[in-house]
């Protein structure tokens, strides 16, 4: 496991999400600079079908900033060959060391069916994919003949120069338990403090040291008056990283960011005291 996510019990790292359904890709460079200049820790991106490419957006955001970490939640495994994903992640990791937070998941099953990529056992694919991806990113030569992942003596010519974290996420209990087993961080798209508490219980039960990344949407307090309560509650429950998803019609992004920063400071004081 890497230390890319904040330790449980410490003040959570805070971020803002660029929602691809609400903003076109040409808005991303200015959005990323706003996050960087604000003092937040992380810009989070989605790879949603059929909106925007997560890794193309990650490359753009990384190139246009110098400090913030850029997370992608989540790359859909049925849609992406694992060798190609490893190549792309390794390239970005070498160009921008220590700043990329890639995540993988099942993908939305209806979208996977639309793209002709839906599989009979998403759990089997996710396990095979995560194991192979980790090995490839570690610079190993990988030969595997799984149900879905099949590689013959594949080794990256330019693997990451330092360990690259792997995040996983989903909604079902089996997926979250698999994420606890195999990932450095577990991504929770929704559910607030209650979902974080349940996930913390799974991590404690299994002895996993994975971090917990929580997304807070507009309906859960991702607004100027609601940010403080939502972030403080999630931090108390054990979230190590929290990202706020602005409403599509949010009129005051700088004000929302300031509210998030203030809430994070309060949450940190609450935890340490």
């Amino acid at each position: 496991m890497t230390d890319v996510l904040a330790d449980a019990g410490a003040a959570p790292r805070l971020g803002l999400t660029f929602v691809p359904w609400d903003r076109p890709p040409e808005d991303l460079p200015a959005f990323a600079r706003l996050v960087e200049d604000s003092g937040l820790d992380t810009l989070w991106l989605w790879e949603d079908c059929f909106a925007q490419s997560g890794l193309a957006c990650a490359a753009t955001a990384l190139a246009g900033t110098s400090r913030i970490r850029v997370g992608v939640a989540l790359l859909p495994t049925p849609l992406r060959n694992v060798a190609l994903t490893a190549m792309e992640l390794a390239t970005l990791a070498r160009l921008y060391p220590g700043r990329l937070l890639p995540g993988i998941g099942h993908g939305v099953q209806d979208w996977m069916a639309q793209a002709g990529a839906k599989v009979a056992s998403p759990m089997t694919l996710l396990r095979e994919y995560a194991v192979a991806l980790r090995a490839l990113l570690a610079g190993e030569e990988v030969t595997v003949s799984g149900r879905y992942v099949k590689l013959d003596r594949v080794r990256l010519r330019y693997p990451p120069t330092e360990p690259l974290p792997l995040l996983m996420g989903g909604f079902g209990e089996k997926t979250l338990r698999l994420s606890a087993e195999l990932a450095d961080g577990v991504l929770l798209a929704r559910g607030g403090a209650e979902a974080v508490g349940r996930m913390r219980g799974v991590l404690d039960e299994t002895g996993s040291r994975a971090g917990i990344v929580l997304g807070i949407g507009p309906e859960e307090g991702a607004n100027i008056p609601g940010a403080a309560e939502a972030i403080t509650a999630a931090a108390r429950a054990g979230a190590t990283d929290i990202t706020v998803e602005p409403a599509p019609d949010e009129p005051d992004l700088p004000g929302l960011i300031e509210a998030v920063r203030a809430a994070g400071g309060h949450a940190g004081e609450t935890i340490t005291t």
Side-chain angles (χ1 to χ4, degrees):
M1 296 294 179
T2 75
D3 62 354
V4 68
L5 301 176
D7 293 331
R13 292 194 177 110
L14 301 174
L16 204 67
T17 301
F18 183 84
V19 181
W21 292 104
D22 302 338
R23 293 175 170 82
E26 57 267 28
D27 288 356
L28 176 59
F31 192 100
R33 288 192 297 270
L34 177 64
V35 174
E36 169 125 318
D37 293 344
S38 72
L40 292 179
D41 303 298
T42 313
L43 168 67
W44 288 92
L45 306 167
W46 295 352
E47 180 161 273
D48 274 6
C49 299
F50 301 93
Q52 296 171 31
S53 160
L55 292 183
C57 286
T60 299
L62 288 163
T65 56
S66 61
R67 177 190 58 82
I68 55 171
R69 298 179 181 198
V70 176
V72 184
L74 295 158
L75 300 171
T77 54
L79 201 61
R80 289 178 153 274
N81 181 278
V82 69
L84 177 60
T85 299
M87 290 164 55
E88 292 179 317
L89 294 180
T91 300
L92 289 176
R94 289 179 71 108
L95 288 169
Y96 308 100
R99 297 180 56 207
L100 179 65
L101 303 175
I104 61 173
H106 298 305
V108 176
Q109 294 305 292
D110 287 347
W111 290 341
M112 298 302 101
Q114 282 182 271
K118 187 175 180 178
V119 299
S121 178
M123 287 293 296
T124 301
L125 170 59
L126 188 59
R127 175 179 288 278
E128 292 180 357
Y129 200 104
V131 171
L133 183 58
R134 271 201 179 279
L136 289 169
L137 293 173
E140 300 175 15
E141 181 179 280
V142 180
T143 295
V144 62
S145 182
R147 181 175 178 181
Y148 299 110
V149 175
K150 302 180 188 298
L151 300 171
D152 181 14
R153 296 167 295 160
V154 175
R155 184 196 298 271
L156 295 180
R157 183 173 181 85
Y158 298 107
T161 54
E162 57 185 59
L164 184 65
L166 180 63
L167 285 65
M168 295 169 60
F171 292 99
E173 183 177 352
K174 289 182 179 179
T175 301
L176 294 176
R177 285 186 172 273
L178 183 65
S179 302
E181 175 189 347
L182 297 178
D184 299 298
V186 181
L187 291 146
L188 303 176
R190 288 291 185 274
E194 183 178 351
V196 173
R198 289 196 301 271
M199 193 67 237
R200 177 56 56 196
V202 171
L203 296 178
D204 291 344
E205 174 191 333
T206 59
S208 171
R209 296 178 58 239
I212 299 175
V213 182
L214 175 70
I216 298 176
E219 73 283 5
E220 299 176 304
N223 49 57
I224 293 175
E229 182 178 354
I231 290 173
T232 299
R236 285 175 174 168
T240 56
D241 289 64
I242 299 171
T243 180
V244 170
E245 302 160 16
D249 56 352
E250 174 56 59
D252 185 10
L253 276 177
L256 175 61
I257 289 172
E258 184 54 39
V260 170
R261 289 185 62 201
H266 177 70
E269 293 172 2
T270 301
I271 291 172
T272 55
T273 57

